[in-house]
C-alpha cells in the first residue's frame, strides 16, 4: 500500500533572488494509481519528482507516503525506486549485478536475490544479457535493465523521469505499453514525468498538469481533455 500526499509543496533552490521552482502544490495519489506530471520543460516536474523521492529537500509544505514524511526516512528505508532518463546504470557492473545492487544493499538472502534478478530479467527479456556490461547494450536494452532494477525490489512506489525520451519512436511505443503492465504487475503506485501529452493520456489514471511551477489541473485524461 502506498499513498502519496503532497500538501502545499513549494521549492526554492538556493541562490540570491531565487524564485520558486514549484509552489503551492497539493494532491493525493491513491494507492496503485499511475499519475503523470505533464508540462513543458522548466515547469517543475523533475523538481516535484525529486522531492517525492527525497532527493531534493522541500522548502515549504509536506510530502508523505502512507502518512510518513519522506525526508524522515533514511534513503534505503524509502519504499521507492527511481528510473532516470539517462538510465544511471553502474558501468563497471554486469546486467545481473546492476539488477541485484539494491537487493544486496538491503541484505536480502542470496537465493532470493538470484530468484528476483532472474524474474525481473525474464519480464524484461534480459535473460540472455545478464553477463554483459552496460556499454555492450543498446539504449533500449539499457533502459530495460534500469526498469528491471527498479521492479526487482518490488517497491511500493515507482518514480519515472522521462524514461522513454532517449529511445526511438518505435521502441518508445513498445516500452510505453510495457511500463503500464509492469506497474500493474507489481502493484505499485507510479509517478511519471513527461512533456508528451499523448504519452500521459495513454498511460495515466490521473494527470497533474503543471505550468511555471504551479499545478494547473489534476484529473483523469478524460476530465482534462474531454470536458466542454
Ligand atoms: P529536465 O528539464 O529534463 O529536467 P534539465 O536539462 O532542465 O532537464 O536539467 C538537468 C539537470 O540540471 C537536472 O538535474 C536539474 O536539476 C539541473 N538543473 C536544471 N536547471 C538548473 C539550474 N538553473 N541550475 C542548476 N541546475 C539546474
Ligand atoms: P522540468 O522538470 O519541468 O523541466 P525542473 O523541475 O527541472 O522542470 O525545473 C524547474 C525550475 O527549477 C526551472 O526554472 C529550473 O531552471 C530550476 N531548477 C531545476 N533544478 C535546479 C537546480 N538544481 N538548481 C537551481 N535551479 C534549478
Amino acid at each position: 500500500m502506498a499513498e502519496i500526499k503532497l500538501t502545499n509543496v513549494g521549492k526554492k533552490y538556493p541562490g540570491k533572488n531565487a524564485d520558486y521552482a514549484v509552489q503551492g502544490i497539493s494532491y493525493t495519489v491513491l494507492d496503485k494509481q499511475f499519475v503523470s506530471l505533464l508540462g513543458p520543460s522548466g515547469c517543475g516536474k523533475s523538481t516535484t519528482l525529486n522531492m517525492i523521492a527525497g532527493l531534493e529537500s522541500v522548502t515549504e509544505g509536506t510530502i508523505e507516503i502512507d502518512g510518513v514524511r519522506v525526508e524522515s526516512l533514511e534513503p534505503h528505508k524509502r519504499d521507492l525506486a527511481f528510473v532516470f532518463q539517462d538510465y544511471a546504470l553502474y558501468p563497471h557492473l554486469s546486467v545481473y549485478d546492476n539488477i541485484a545492487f539494491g537487493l544486496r544493499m538491503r541484505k536480502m538472502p542470496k537465493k532470493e536475490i538470484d530468484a528476483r534478478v532472474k524474474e525481473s530479467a525474464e519480464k524484461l527479456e534480459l535473460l540472455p544479457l545478464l553477463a554483459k556490461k552496460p556499454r555492450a547494450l543498446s539504449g533500449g536494452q539499457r533502459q530495460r535493465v534500469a526498469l528491471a532494477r527498479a521492479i526487482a525490489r518490488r517497491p511500493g512506489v515507482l518514480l519515472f523521469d522521462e524514461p522513454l525520451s532517449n529511445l526511438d519512436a518505435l521502441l518508445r511505443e513498445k516500452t510505453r505499453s510495457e511500463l503500464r503492465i509492469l506497474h500493474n504487475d507489481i502493484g505499485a503506485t507510479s509517478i511519471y514525468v513527461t512533456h508528451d501529452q499523448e504519452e500521459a493520456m495513454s498511460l495515466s489514471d490521473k494527470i497533474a498538469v503543471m505550468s511555471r511551477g504551479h499545478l494547473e489541473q489534476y484529473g483523469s485524461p478524460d476530465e482534462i481533455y474531454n470536458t466542454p
Side-chain angles (χ1 to χ4, degrees):
M1 146 89 193
E3 183 175 286
I4 305 165
K5 186 175 182 193
L6 286 75
T7 309
N8 204 19
V9 172
K11 173 72 181 180
K12 263 186 191 179
Y13 287 102
K16 250 203 269 166
N17 311 319
D19 209 352
Y20 281 94
V22 160
Q23 193 176 22
I25 306 273
S26 298
Y27 50 80
T28 299
V29 179
L30 299 177
D31 186 41
K32 297 192 178 33
Q33 277 186 334
F34 195 113
V35 172
S36 290
L37 311 188
L38 175 68
S41 183
C43 73
K45 305 181 297 294
S46 298
T47 297
T48 305
L49 197 72
N50 291 341
M51 288 190 290
I52 293 170
L55 299 174
E56 281 288 356
S57 62
V58 173
T59 313
E60 288 173 0
T62 57
I63 299 178
E64 294 160 302
I65 300 181
D66 292 336
V68 179
R69 298 271 293 261
V70 180
E71 318 109 280
S72 72
L73 293 175
E74 293 168 65
H76 70 277
K77 295 209 171 122
R78 296 176 191 144
D79 183 25
L80 54 85
F82 205 122
V83 180
F84 298 93
Q85 177 176 348
D86 60 1
Y87 323 132
L89 301 177
Y90 301 106
H92 57 291
L93 297 181
S94 66
V95 168
Y96 186 104
D97 291 335
N98 264 285
I99 300 173
F101 192 86
L103 307 176
R104 288 189 178 132
M105 259 185 18
R106 284 166 180 78
K107 308 259 191 290
M108 194 178 276
K110 241 183 172 167
K111 243 175 111 176
E112 188 169 356
I113 291 179
D114 192 60
R116 289 227 195 165
V117 169
K118 285 175 181 156
E119 183 194 288
S120 314
E122 186 173 12
K123 279 197 180 121
L124 287 148
E125 298 165 35
L126 292 169
L127 283 177
L129 303 176
L130 284 175
K132 295 209 188 282
K133 296 273 171 68
R135 67 170 171 278
L137 306 180
S138 70
Q141 288 168 336
R142 285 178 202 177
Q143 190 51 285
R144 306 172 77 78
V145 177
L147 290 169
R149 183 175 60 182
I151 65 164
R153 267 178 34 224
R154 297 182 199 143
V157 176
L158 283 173
L159 303 175
F160 302 97
D161 195 350
E162 307 240 12
L164 310 183
S165 54
N166 288 334
L167 306 180
D168 64 53
L170 198 67
L171 203 54
R172 199 150 58 219
E173 201 123 309
K174 177 174 186 278
T175 314
R176 186 205 290 179
S177 54
E178 284 169 352
L179 272 181
R180 183 67 214 215
I181 293 168
L182 287 176
H183 159 92
N184 294 347
D185 216 49
I186 71 164
T189 305
S190 295
I191 303 193
Y192 184 90
V193 162
T194 183
H195 59 262
D196 184 330
Q197 180 181 321
E198 198 196 317
E199 216 168 272
M201 289 189 61
S202 73
L203 276 168
S204 318
D205 299 311
K206 303 275 181 186
I207 301 176
V209 183
M210 296 183 70
S211 168
R212 298 176 187 194
H214 293 270
L215 181 68
E216 293 283 305
Q217 275 185 290
Y218 189 85
S220 67
D222 210 41
E223 284 161 353
I224 288 177
Y225 294 104
N226 294 328
T227 37

